[in-house]
Amino acid sequence: MKRFVLLFLLAILSSPFVAIAQSGDKVTGAMVVTTTETIVKEPIVVPKEAPVTTNTKPKFTMMGQVGFFVPWSLGFDFHFLAGWTFKDRFFIGAGVGLDFDFESPSIVAAPLYANSRIYFTKHTKFRPFLDLSVGGNIPWGAYINVSIGAEVPVSKRLSLYAKAGYEAMHYEYLDYYYYRNYYGGGYYDYIWDIEMSHNFGFKVGLKF
């Protein structure tokens, strides 16, 4: 009887500890095991921005243009240019053309010249530039053109441009001299002469 009472008392005394262990922890036999949860976060992958590429290699470029010049001499012209564009900012090349000068008896001349162009902006829809041509107007003499203009891209490979400025060239014209002889008479002697004309030139063209 005493043994039964002793076991009963031990059961009553141990019941609170068992309840506490079962309420928050896992019970395995006589051991109380406490579990913790570990959260593993995956690394965030940030996409890299695409590098900005610029055209650093020289690019072969061709241009065709048509225009007119006034007022010292009146005419129009067709020109073709070819060369290299560096860093999308500088063009260096050569040009050849046919000039139809209505003030000259020969009418047709053939300018042959070196050309350079400097763009003030890169990769824009409106690109102003400065253009310089220096050479000869065959067969008479010099040819010079200094212009400012703007270029507008119409596709990846094509651009339209227009330019206006000062244009000077030698051209042939008809001149005459009056000669008086010993007997009081006289006559006119007509000759061809060469003169430098100073004009305003306007041209439109296509770059490809």
Side-chain angles (χ1 to χ4, degrees):
M1 184 67 182
K2 293 179 179 180
R3 184 178 297 175
F4 177 77
V5 173
L6 182 60
L7 293 173
F8 180 75
L9 292 174
L10 289 174
I12 293 173
L13 292 173
S14 62
S15 60
F17 298 99
V18 174
I20 293 171
Q22 289 180 348
S23 63
D25 303 319
K26 295 180 179 179
V27 179
T28 304
M31 297 179 64
V32 178
V33 179
T34 303
T35 61
T36 58
E37 182 180 0
T38 303
I39 300 174
V40 179
K41 296 183 178 180
E42 296 182 357
I44 300 174
V45 179
V46 180
K48 295 182 179 180
E49 296 182 357
V52 179
T53 58
T54 57
N55 186 12
T56 58
K57 295 182 179 180
K59 178 184 176 183
F60 183 70
T61 306
M62 294 184 291
M63 291 180 277
Q65 62 189 30
V66 59
F68 66 88
F69 47 90
V70 292
W72 191 286
S73 58
L74 176 63
F76 65 96
D77 51 45
F78 301 93
H79 287 219
F80 176 80
L81 300 92
W84 298 92
T85 301
F86 299 87
K87 297 183 179 181
D88 294 325
R89 292 289 298 272
F90 309 99
F91 171 81
I92 298 176
V96 63
L98 289 176
D99 282 29
F100 297 86
D101 189 345
F102 300 122
E103 302 295 329
S104 171
S106 299
I107 298 180
V108 180
L112 179 63
Y113 52 89
N115 177 265
S116 63
R117 181 177 294 187
I118 301 175
Y119 293 91
F120 299 116
T121 61
K122 292 178 64 175
H123 310 298
T124 57
K125 294 182 179 181
F126 184 82
R127 303 186 65 192
F129 61 80
L130 175 65
D131 189 277
L132 173 64
S133 298
V134 178
N137 195 25
I138 302 171
W140 304 312
Y143 174 84
I144 301 171
N145 185 291
V146 182
S147 302
I148 57 173
E151 181 179 298
V152 179
V154 295
S155 69
K156 188 176 181 180
R157 298 183 61 88
L158 298 177
S159 298
L160 291 173
Y161 67 88
K163 63 178 183 177
Y166 168 75
E167 185 170 277
M169 57 186 173
H170 280 107
Y171 76 104
E172 187 180 32
Y173 74 101
L174 185 62
D175 200 357
Y176 63 89
Y177 295 92
Y178 180 74
Y179 294 92
R180 183 182 298 274
N181 60 24
Y182 179 79
Y183 298 102
Y187 64 95
Y188 289 95
D189 186 12
Y190 294 90
I191 62 172
W192 305 116
D193 204 350
I194 306 298
E195 187 176 11
M196 175 71 80
S197 63
H198 303 273
N199 299 307
F200 168 80
F202 177 80
K203 305 181 191 300
V204 294
L206 179 66
K207 188 181 83 171
F208 50 96

